[in-house]
Amino acid sequence: MPRSETIGVFKALLLDMDGTLVNSDAVVERCWRRWASREGLEPEAVLKVVHGRQGHATMAVLLPDRPMEQNHADNRAMLAEETADTDGVVPVAGAPAFMDAIAALPHALVTSADEALARTRMAASGLRMPTVRVTAERVGASKPNPEGFLKGAAELGFAPADCIVFEDSEAGIAAGRAAGMRIVGIGPRAATLSPDAHVEDLTQLRVEAAADGSIRLHIDAN
């Protein structure tokens, strides 16, 4: 019999995209390796900090003395490259069923991708795009700043404490924590980052909707 652990009771779900719903690591690595080579940086060191942030924020961390105007210009070019490249973009295991299970529940996508990239990757993965979404264009600060999650909660009409965040990256988990929300870490990157709960992928999560509108979240493990 599978064991089940209840994470808690919530009113809304806030979902990161890359690494959480969509596995886009192949594209991310290809694009950032090219950028690192052009800038004379060690690709492996670059790949350690790219996940979860908007591109210009990653560039600012890696090249702190470079003008932000150049980072924003490079970020625009990077977004175009990433949007054009869907080779290897697939859903995280369990994502289609999970998105179906929460279709009628309050939820939002909160991603560091812009709208075009988010649409492209969700479509390439065969995933439904949430009606409420906070993409890069809609925030003034990238994760680990909590702005995106706070905006997602506000648009859904719930207090931060009533929301649960699904994230895979250090920057994303830090953003959720700064927003005052509980966090489910998804996948190997999140395993060492002390989320409130952790799963290998979305096949382990089970959502139970109550008549009063609350959402009970369970982890099922063999």
XYZ file of all heavy atoms in Angstrom, residues 50 64 72 124 143 157 159 173 176:
59
model
N 21.632 29.962 -13.225
C 20.644 30.471 -14.185
C 19.202 30.132 -13.815
O 18.277 30.863 -14.177
C 20.916 29.949 -15.622
C 22.283 30.399 -16.096
C 20.783 28.436 -15.711
N 28.793 41.551 -12.572
C 28.246 42.655 -11.777
C 28.662 44.049 -12.236
O 27.979 45.030 -11.914
C 28.760 42.359 -10.361
C 29.935 41.455 -10.549
C 29.636 40.646 -11.766
N 19.957 43.667 -20.318
C 18.595 43.626 -20.848
C 18.597 43.319 -22.347
O 17.729 42.590 -22.839
C 17.868 44.936 -20.561
C 17.381 45.053 -19.146
N 16.303 44.332 -18.675
C 17.834 45.777 -18.094
C 16.105 44.617 -17.400
N 17.017 45.486 -17.015
N 4.454 23.242 -26.049
C 5.358 22.164 -26.456
C 5.242 20.960 -25.518
O 5.469 19.822 -25.931
C 6.798 22.670 -26.472
N 12.601 36.872 -9.455
C 12.914 35.981 -8.340
C 14.430 36.033 -8.128
O 15.167 36.125 -9.112
C 12.504 34.537 -8.666
C 11.019 34.338 -8.927
C 10.755 32.919 -9.443
C 9.311 32.704 -9.841
N 9.071 31.370 -10.422
N -6.921 36.576 -5.221
C -7.756 37.062 -4.132
C -7.518 36.386 -2.801
O -8.410 36.344 -1.958
N -4.715 35.672 0.667
C -3.557 36.116 1.442
C -2.373 35.194 1.161
O -2.557 34.000 0.888
C -3.888 36.096 2.930
N 12.486 29.237 -4.662
C 12.151 28.867 -3.287
C 12.397 30.045 -2.356
O 11.597 30.324 -1.448
C 12.941 27.615 -2.865
C 12.357 26.388 -3.596
C 12.905 27.410 -1.354
C 13.133 25.113 -3.394
N 9.421 32.403 -2.805
C 8.231 31.922 -2.119
C 8.332 32.111 -0.618
O 7.368 32.519 0.048
